[in-house]
Amino acid sequence: MIIGALHSRPAQTVGELVITSSVSRATVYRTLHRLVSHGLVHHVGEIWILAPRRLGRLLGALTEAEVVPSRGWDEIASHHGTAGLSSSRKTYHAAERAMYRAALGRLAEHRSTAHVIVRDGRQVLIPAPRPDDG
């Protein structure tokens, strides 16, 4: 997110990066220091800029059709222990959604019966609360 924000709008302060990247201030600082350790960004006063030569080597050839990443990104992810994190999170969240749907299904099976009241001589059906209503 930080690299994307700096790529779309070069030379930003931390405050501006918080807004343009939609990331917390603490995460921006932590990420910037990690990017500095890999030579991907430079810090000049309060301004942070991308290191175009280093970033260019990591991205590989940039064409209009696509960006072809090199092994550099994989090396950085492995170094920081984040390789495969995205796919494991997707799997975890898919399982979490499936469990939630199953729990809603079980709750729906155990609905209480609706109540009927008489108002102005007419019967009015009061439905039972739904399991997903908070």
Side-chain angles (χ1 to χ4, degrees):
M1 298 299 294
I2 303 297
I3 290 174
L6 284 171
H7 180 71
S8 65
R9 189 169 157 242
Q12 296 184 58
T13 65
V14 170
E16 293 168 334
L17 279 169
V18 168
I19 295 166
T20 58
S21 67
S22 300
V23 175
S24 73
R25 183 174 292 275
T27 301
V28 168
Y29 274 113
R30 187 173 52 250
T31 303
L32 285 172
H33 291 293
R34 191 176 301 154
L35 293 172
V36 164
S37 71
H38 291 288
L40 296 174
V41 296
H42 295 292
H43 185 220
V44 180
E46 293 183 13
I47 302 296
W48 293 87
I49 57 174
L50 289 176
R53 289 186 184 148
R54 174 74 170 137
L55 190 61
R57 282 195 303 259
L58 285 174
L59 290 177
L62 179 63
T63 65
E64 289 183 11
E66 63 181 344
V67 173
V68 181
S70 72
R71 285 174 278 177
W73 290 117
D74 293 333
E75 291 170 13
I76 290 172
S78 294
H79 177 72
H80 287 287
T82 60
L85 188 61
S86 175
S87 62
S88 66
R89 283 184 179 170
K90 286 179 184 177
T91 303
Y92 174 79
H93 290 302
E96 200 173 49
R97 284 190 298 275
M99 290 187 325
Y100 178 73
R101 284 191 295 272
L104 284 179
R106 285 192 305 276
L107 285 172
E109 293 172 2
H110 300 289
R111 271 194 190 162
S112 60
T113 57
H115 298 282
V116 176
I117 62 171
V118 177
R119 178 176 277 164
D120 297 328
R122 294 183 353 212
Q123 290 186 345
V124 178
L125 180 68
I126 308 291
R130 292 173 34 138
D132 58 345
D133 288 343

